[in-house]
């Protein structure tokens, strides 16, 4: 998650006095508005529970009235403090920190605690209405949906709630996976747009777990609906013969066989992102990125209009980072050069960059510029979490818990960022001999038979995990 405090506001208090409010954004969207005293109270609680050694530095109190420069300096310090707390595997996962954010979110949106209906969408567009409290956190809402659907408790961990935006053309954009520090009802209603809604979708990557889900009637129906939806949206590629087979299985009501066939198709189980820009293999290339099968798949349009495809395996990424910068908007479009935003309208520019082992002894940074960069990063992190759980002999049910104790991705707010070594804790270079990397051509027909299923060459090994283990 990308925590930032990009702005402050002067607001009126209850007795007519004014105070400075610090706007905490998550993934570029306002999450809550807090006072310095509230964050100081949180800091004191954290110190009391975890001790001074673990707690990051907190900006000190000021005796005199703050000048504009003082406010700006405090904003930067509080931003760094919030990022440091969130990135700490113990503090960022603590109920104290998460409950503070949930309470602040509810207070900011001025939504009282009361019982309300909330519509959760399934992949096929069907709506499931659950009665919840406005103060219910993500896990509470997920369990309420599972109960309404009669999904067994042991399968709840296989699914998650996602905030999505549906375009007028029916296109679906993943905004983020709802987190433990937010209130789903408040998150979706505060956006004040019918384009946004919450969808229930499977939250694992390894198709071997599909068997667990399909053993249950409700789980089978959910997975079937998702597979049908992904095919209809064109996220899963199907040629004419496969389409006929799928249609025949649908008519017979053979849902398991339908899913089994779906598992053999290109991009089954992937999340597809909106078109964006990359610097690989050339700067300024337009690309469609998909996440799945422990990789980021690129469908790249080169400057000469030629289409190429390739995949970057998470097991060959040494580390990755997400950076954001404020970019002035000039005449309705973003200026290519970051500059001061005090007197100009600005928008946030997000980039995901990862260091990739292209061949033996050759690492290269690859950058994706996309509003969904953080969602891509979350996908990469969850793939790593799942691989680690599987390697340790755990089950998918433990992935949630595991992700809370793993190191967090470093997020730097400056326009120029440096490599985070967080991922190096469990991703390191292999000395395995590798062949060269290449992008494969893509035929304009876009059928499954015309797109190479091969990824980049090479056999980079996850640290402590051989290729046979993946």
């Amino acid at each position: 998650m990308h925590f930032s405090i990009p702005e402050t506001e002067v607001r009126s208090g209850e007795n007519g006095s004014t105070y400075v409010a610090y706007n905490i954004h998550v993934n570029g969207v306002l999450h809550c508005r807090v006072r310095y005293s509230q964050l100081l109270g949180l800091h004191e609680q954290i110190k009391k529970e975890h001790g001074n050694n673990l707690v990051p530095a907190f900006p000190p109190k000021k005796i005199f009235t703050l000048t504009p420069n003082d406010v700006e300096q405090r904003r930067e310090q509080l931003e760094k403090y919030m990022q440091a707390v969130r990135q700490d595997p113990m503090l960022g996962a603590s109920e104290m920190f998460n409950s503070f954010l949930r309470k602040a979110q509810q207070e900011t949106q001025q939504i009282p605690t009361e019982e309300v209906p909330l519509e959760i969408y399934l992949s096929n567009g069907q709506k499931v209405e659950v009665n919840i409290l406005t103060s219910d956190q993500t896990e509470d809402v997920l369990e309420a949906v599972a109960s309404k659907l009669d999904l067994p408790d042991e399968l709840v961990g296989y699914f998650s709630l996602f905030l999505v935006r549906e375009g007028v053309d029916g296109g679906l954009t993943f905004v983020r996976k709802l987190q433990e520090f937010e209130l789903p009802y408040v998150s979706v209603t505060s956006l004040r747009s019918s384009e946004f809604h919450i969808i229930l979708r499977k939250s694992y990557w390894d198709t071997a777990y599909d068997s667990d889900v399909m053993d249950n009637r409700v789980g089978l129906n959910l997975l079937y609906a998702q597979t049908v939806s992904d095919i209809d949206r064109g996220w899963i590629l199907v040629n004419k013969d496969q389409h006929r087979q799928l249609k025949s299985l649908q008519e017979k009501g053979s849902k398991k066989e339908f899913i089994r066939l779906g598992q053999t198709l290109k991009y089954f189980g992937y999340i597809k992102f909106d078109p964006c820009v990359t610097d690989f293999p050339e700067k300024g290339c337009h690309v469609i990125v998909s996440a799945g099968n422990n990789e980021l798949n690129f469908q790249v349009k080169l400057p000469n209009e030629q289409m190429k495809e390739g995949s970057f395996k998470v097991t060959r990424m040494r580390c990755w980072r997400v950076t954001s910068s404020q970019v002035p908007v000039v005449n309705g479009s973003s200026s290519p050069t970051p500059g001061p935003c005090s007197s100009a309208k600005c928008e946030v520019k997000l980039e995901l960059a990862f260091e990739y082992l292209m061949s033996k002894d050759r690492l290269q940074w690859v950058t994706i510029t996309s509003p969904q960069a953080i969602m891509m990063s979350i996908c990469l992190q969850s793939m790593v979490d799942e691989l680690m759980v599987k390697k340790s002999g755990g089950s998918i049910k433990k992935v949630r818990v595991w992700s809370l104790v793993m190191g967090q991705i470093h997020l730097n707010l400056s326009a120029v960022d440096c490599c985070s070594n967080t991922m190096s804790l469990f991703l390191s270079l292999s000395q395995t001999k590798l062949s060269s990397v290449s992008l494969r051509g893509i035929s304009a027909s876009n059928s499954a038979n015309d797109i190479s299923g091969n990824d980049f060459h090479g056999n980079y090994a996850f640290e402590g995990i051989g290729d046979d283990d993946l």
Side-chain angles (χ1 to χ4, degrees), residues 134-154:
T134 53
S135 57
D136 279 346
Q137 58 186 290
T138 300
E139 188 173 352
D140 296 330
V141 176
L142 178 59
E143 290 176 352
V145 176
S147 177
K148 186 71 175 283
L149 293 172
D150 290 327
L151 184 69
D153 291 344
E154 61 268 20

Side-chain angles (χ1 to χ4, degrees), residues 200-218:
L200 179 71
R201 187 178 173 89
K202 75 174 187 179
S203 60
Y204 57 88
W205 304 98
D206 190 341
T207 56
Y209 293 120
D210 288 341
S211 298
D212 297 344
V213 176
M214 289 192 293
D215 283 343
N216 173 264
R217 176 185 57 82
V218 177

Side-chain angles (χ1 to χ4, degrees), residues 108-126:
T108 298
Q109 300 300 333
Q110 298 181 332
I111 295 178
T113 298
E114 59 184 352
E115 187 172 308
V116 292
L118 178 63
E119 290 184 338
I120 305 296
Y121 285 68
L122 304 184
S123 296
N124 60 0
Q126 179 184 343

Side-chain angles (χ1 to χ4, degrees), residues 161-200:
L161 299 176
F162 294 85
L163 181 64
V164 300
R165 184 177 73 246
E166 188 167 0
V168 292
D169 59 351
L172 204 63
T173 297
F174 282 87
V175 179
R176 68 176 181 272
K177 179 178 171 180
L178 294 182
Q179 301 294 312
E180 67 278 4
F181 57 76
E182 61 184 315
L183 311 176
Y185 178 85
V186 178
S187 292
V188 71
T189 56
S190 64
L191 292 169
R192 296 178 176 84
S193 172
S194 59
E195 292 182 345
F196 294 91
H197 54 257
I198 299 172
I199 188 171
L200 179 71

Side-chain angles (χ1 to χ4, degrees), residues 244-256:
R244 281 194 293 267
Q245 294 177 57
L246 290 168
K247 187 176 180 180
S248 175
L249 291 172
Q250 264 189 306
E251 291 172 349
K252 295 176 182 177
S254 303
K255 296 179 181 179
K256 282 190 178 182

